[in-house]
Amino acid sequence: MTVTLDPAVAVKKFQQPLFEYLVSGLNAEDKWVRVMAAGMLGVLGDPGAASYLKPLAVDQDADLREVSRNSLKMLAPDYALPGTGRGNPCDGCMIRIIAEEALSFKKNAVPYPMPLSDTNR
């Protein structure tokens, strides 16, 4: 007797563990594991992946940037494509992505003490 599993049921059943597994792959040492994980997160279609993909859209690695941006387009086409006539026309603009990433780093950064100037010594 052969038991078949409907693909839609299988995806629903394994979506959360798969999502978590792919998110963990974004931190892998191997570049191509990170690239594949970023690509698969877009295919999986979970909107929660956008928060993990946005920082990668401005990564130093060109392959990871491209795949992350493509995944963001799959998850939220209106966000990733500026000028769609809906929402803010700069949503998804590179400058906005960079600014959001810089702000998130700034919020989590430990402030450095200000150096003493010659007049304060």
Side-chain angles (χ1 to χ4, degrees), residues 16-88:
Q16 187 60 34
L18 180 57
F19 175 83
E20 292 168 5
Y21 179 74
L22 292 172
V23 167
S24 72
L26 297 175
N27 296 317
E29 287 187 35
D30 187 306
K31 165 193 169 170
W32 295 109
V33 171
R34 293 191 308 273
V35 168
M36 294 300 292
M40 291 303 299
L41 280 168
V43 173
L44 189 60
D46 188 323
S51 63
Y52 296 98
L53 294 169
K54 285 179 191 176
L56 300 177
V58 294
D59 194 83
Q60 292 178 339
D61 186 273
D63 295 315
L64 192 54
R65 278 195 315 267
E66 181 179 350
V67 170
S68 297
R69 290 176 190 161
N70 288 338
S71 288
L72 282 168
K73 288 177 188 176
M74 285 187 251
L75 295 173
D78 291 339
Y79 177 83
L81 299 174
T84 58
R86 290 179 271 177
N88 185 337

Side-chain angles (χ1 to χ4, degrees), residues 5-19 44:
L5 185 60
D6 179 24
V9 172
V11 167
K12 187 165 180 77
K13 180 177 179 180
F14 296 107
Q15 187 168 4
Q16 187 60 34
L18 180 57
F19 175 83
L44 189 60

